[in-house]
Amino acid sequence: MEDLQESEVQAMGATLRLTMTREDLAEVTHRLNAFIEALLPLIELAADGPEPVPAPVDPDRAS
Amino acid sequence: MSRAGDELAFLSATDLAALVRRKEVSPVELVDLYLERIDQLDGRLRAFITVCPTEAREAARRAERALAAGDPAPLLGVPFAVKDQFDTKGIRTTLGSRILEAFVPDADATVVARLTAAGAILLGKLNLSEFALGGTVHFPSGQPRNPWNLAHHPGGSSGGSGVATAAALAAFTLGEDTGGSIRIPAAWCGTVGLRPTWGLVSRHGTFPASWSMDTAGPLARTVADAGLVLKLIAGQDPREPLTTRRPVPDYPAALTGDIRGLRVGVVRELTEGGGTEPEVRAAVLAAATLLGTLGALIEDVSLPLLPLAGATFMAVCDSEATTRQLGWLKTRPGDYDQGTRRRLLTASLLPTALYHQANRARALIRQQVLDALATHDLLLCPTMHAPASRIEREQDAVTSKDVAARRFFGHRSHTTPASLAGAPAISVPCGFSTTGLPIGLQLVGRPYDEARVLQVAHAYEQATDWHRHRPNPPVGSWGSSDSGCQLLAVRDP
């Protein structure tokens, strides 16, 4: 997959009305590309695993 | 500072409480001792954001009256300090950020209230990475420095807590751990640091980083102190509905020294791999061997998903953190440190589909960790892949996605698995690098089994003398002529 370009990241930021300096934009683009590269393999993980609840369930909480 | 004063300052909180009860030292003497050390050492260490001498001396005088009246409070007269992430009534709570530099809470966080109710005396508020997120480049209250070598980072985000505990600027401290923020400064500063089970300790009055992983816990100079403090802060809080209803165990009573027959799994991916440096690996494997001689059963364990933990953690944590910060990010971007701002900007643009994939990965990693803990009492690995890094390395520009991946994901694989699993984990000193920097051993336990974690950590501590080593940071403040240290190239902004 091709890396995101700074212009694309700037457009994404504009949708949230976020302003970025030139230096911010360069670093955010590197960080976002790193995230995407690291997280895309997660799609290959088993889909029938445990449910993705945000926090561990303590069985004693319900008692 | 006198030699006798130094000896007293480095005693454990447990020992200091006993001395106070026996009236061999007074709370006023202890408060004055630590305030003097802060005055002489913190100009360079920058552990504190706010020091409260007037309030602390007032509390010490009240403690003396309580002592005369026979008050049995367990930490009566013992001075402590807390990360500037916990609310303190009438004392500013800045989160290490210009955005909250004038914020003064009208009530104490539950953990602070519980410790002061136990007789402990608050000395002040400790430095941290901005909003407890890590990656701060320019600290508004000054760069916290590792007391073993001022050119090196103390770790974060509870950096001030690690520094103050290691340099005996307080008897113990509180930190907050989302992905390692107690354990990393504990390892890098050479102290004990305990991340409790998620839900064991109230976070009421604690500014959130990531609600699904934040935990409050102690940094201390001994495992016994960590157990004592945990006993005092743990348990249900009506103001925090996510806290457990379980009764709080008597953690100090678990420190029997007997660990015979316990099964300890050495996590292969984080000990042999994970970028772990050879001298860290050697120290941790030597610790595992020592636990074996004490009667534990040491076994190899493989958790193949753990290399994904760093990126998974960052996606979840930063997405949760951004929900609280988005308003300020739009209206006050220039008031953030550049590192924090760029971290939050990135998370705010992360595609939702990937965020949900990260949540699925978290569930799988959690299951893998808990499955390993079903057959082992504890998991063992290094707390960090390397000893404390040099400060300027943390300030380097991010010039490519590979640099970003290495810095923000790769080096977070050791502490984040326990966070993703909601499990308790402790860091205890287990050696020093050839450059004289501390190395931390991490023990991860089953949820709500802090007693076992503390039991094994204590047995290891008692069989070694790593926790008796003390840093000797130079006296003075920045700009004084006696610095003689290598760090003048890295002055505060």
Side-chain angles (χ1 to χ4, degrees):
Chain A
M1 182 174 166
E2 283 189 22
D3 284 348
L4 289 171
Q5 300 302 304
E6 289 185 11
S7 57
E8 295 170 304
V9 173
Q10 189 161 36
M12 291 164 69
T15 64
L16 289 173
R17 306 290 185 264
L18 294 170
T19 55
M20 289 183 258
T21 66
R22 192 183 190 87
E23 293 77 15
D24 284 348
L25 181 60
E27 184 169 323
V28 169
T29 302
H30 293 316
R31 285 175 180 245
L32 206 48
N33 281 322
F35 253 126
I36 291 167
E37 189 168 283
L39 295 177
L40 272 179
L42 302 184
I43 293 171
E44 306 301 321
L45 293 174
D48 56 352
E51 291 186 20
V53 291
V57 177
D58 175 8
D60 283 11
R61 282 188 50 76
S63 62
Chain B
M1 292 178 291
S2 69
R3 186 181 173 88
D6 283 352
E7 293 300 319
L8 194 59
F10 275 97
L11 285 181
S12 70
T14 305
D15 288 344
L16 289 173
L19 288 177
V20 169
R21 278 196 296 275
R22 295 200 301 267
K23 300 182 180 172
E24 293 177 28
V25 65
S26 77
V28 169
E29 287 172 319
L30 284 184
V31 164
D32 283 342
L33 170 66
Y34 284 115
L35 288 175
E36 182 189 10
R37 290 182 65 81
I38 294 166
D39 186 49
Q40 296 198 5
L41 296 171
D42 206 45
R44 286 199 178 127
L45 293 175
R46 298 293 176 95
F48 281 81
I49 290 176
T50 303
V51 184
C52 311
T54 305
E55 294 87 345
R57 289 190 172 107
E58 269 179 27
R61 286 191 288 273
R62 283 198 302 275
E64 295 199 349
R65 291 194 292 274
L67 185 66
D71 187 335
L75 284 175
L76 188 61
V78 177
F80 76 114
V82 301
K83 185 178 186 179
D84 205 17
Q85 186 181 0
F86 299 109
D87 283 356
T88 42
K89 184 179 180 180
I91 301 167
R92 67 178 182 153
T93 299
T94 70
L95 272 296
S97 178
R98 289 187 180 88
I99 288 172
L100 291 178
E101 63 187 356
F103 172 58
V104 180
D106 57 11
D108 283 337
T110 295
V111 288
V112 175
R114 287 182 175 180
L115 286 172
T116 54
I121 296 172
L122 183 69
L123 291 168
K125 310 294 294 290
L126 295 164
N127 210 344
L128 70 161
S129 308
E130 188 176 26
F131 286 111
L133 287 174
T136 303
V137 177
H138 299 300
F139 287 76
S141 298
Q143 170 70 52
R145 294 179 182 278
N146 194 306
W148 294 91
N149 185 329
L150 302 192
H152 287 251
H153 209 287
S157 64
S158 311
S161 304
V163 176
T165 306
L169 305 183
F172 68 93
T173 65
L174 281 187
E176 184 278 320
D177 188 314
T178 303
S181 289
I182 288 174
R183 291 163 285 160
I184 294 168
W188 279 8
C189 293
T191 76
V192 175
L194 175 65
R195 171 196 168 86
T197 302
W198 185 88
L200 179 65
V201 177
S202 170
R203 297 165 306 167
H204 176 77
T206 307
F207 192 95
S210 165
W211 71 269
S212 67
M213 291 183 282
D214 291 346
T215 57
L219 290 92
R221 288 190 288 276
T222 67
V223 174
D225 279 2
L228 174 61
V229 173
L230 181 64
K231 181 183 171 187
L232 295 171
I233 63 175
Q236 188 181 14
D237 177 5
R239 294 177 297 180
E240 221 258 70
L242 294 172
T243 46
T244 183
R245 298 172 186 165
R246 295 166 183 249
V248 177
D250 184 0
Y251 299 114
L255 310 183
T256 61
D258 183 4
I259 61 168
R260 287 174 295 177
L262 294 181
R263 296 183 69 185
V264 177
V266 179
V267 182
R268 186 188 310 158
E269 286 78 7
L270 302 180
T271 306
E272 300 297 335
T276 299
E277 293 189 356
E279 60 185 349
V280 172
R281 181 181 307 121
V284 167
L285 291 176
T289 301
L290 178 56
L291 289 175
T293 66
L294 296 174
L297 306 173
I298 309 299
E299 299 169 328
D300 178 68
V301 169
S302 176
L303 302 172
L305 287 177
L306 293 199
L308 297 174
T312 300
F313 167 84
M314 288 288 281
V316 175
C317 169
D318 290 15
S319 296
E320 291 183 6
T322 301
T323 60
R324 183 71 182 242
Q325 306 278 346
L326 198 55
W328 290 324
L329 205 51
K330 291 165 84 162
T331 58
R332 302 178 63 181
D335 287 336
Y336 283 97
D337 167 70
Q338 70 182 51
T340 314
R341 183 176 64 249
R342 293 170 187 172
R343 183 171 171 175
L344 291 170
L345 284 167
T346 305
S348 68
L349 302 179
L350 190 68
T352 309
L354 290 181
Y355 166 74
H356 287 296
Q357 292 297 342
N359 264 318
R360 286 185 57 242
R362 167 163 67 173
L364 291 166
I365 292 169
R366 178 191 299 146
Q367 194 62 54
Q368 205 164 78
V369 171
L370 296 182
D371 285 350
L373 286 167
T375 53
H376 294 81
D377 295 286
L378 291 173
L379 301 177
L380 178 154
C381 63
T383 307
M384 282 295 278
H385 67 289
S389 55
R390 290 183 68 87
I391 287 168
E392 67 265 26
R393 273 191 61 192
E394 303 285 325
Q395 297 172 327
D396 284 347
V398 177
T399 52
S400 71
K401 71 175 179 183
D402 293 334
V403 170
R406 196 163 50 248
R407 189 183 302 175
F408 304 123
F409 312 149
H411 294 166
R412 292 181 191 267
S413 292
H414 291 75
T415 51
T416 51
S419 303
L420 295 167
I426 198 168
S427 181
V428 289
C430 72
F432 286 86
S433 69
T434 51
T435 55
L437 292 165
I439 296 171
L441 167 71
Q442 182 175 208
L443 298 166
V444 180
R446 297 169 184 154
Y448 298 103
D449 201 8
E450 277 79 1
R452 188 77 80 201
V453 173
L454 290 160
Q455 176 191 5
V456 175
H458 178 256
Y460 174 76
E461 177 190 76
Q462 294 305 301
T464 62
D465 71 350
W466 303 118
H467 64 294
R468 299 187 204 285
H469 293 237
R470 299 173 185 171
N472 188 24
V475 172
S477 58
W478 283 101
S480 68
S481 59
D482 65 337
S483 68
C485 47
Q486 323 113 22
L487 19 145
L488 290 176
V490 197
R491 281 183 183 276
D492 293 326

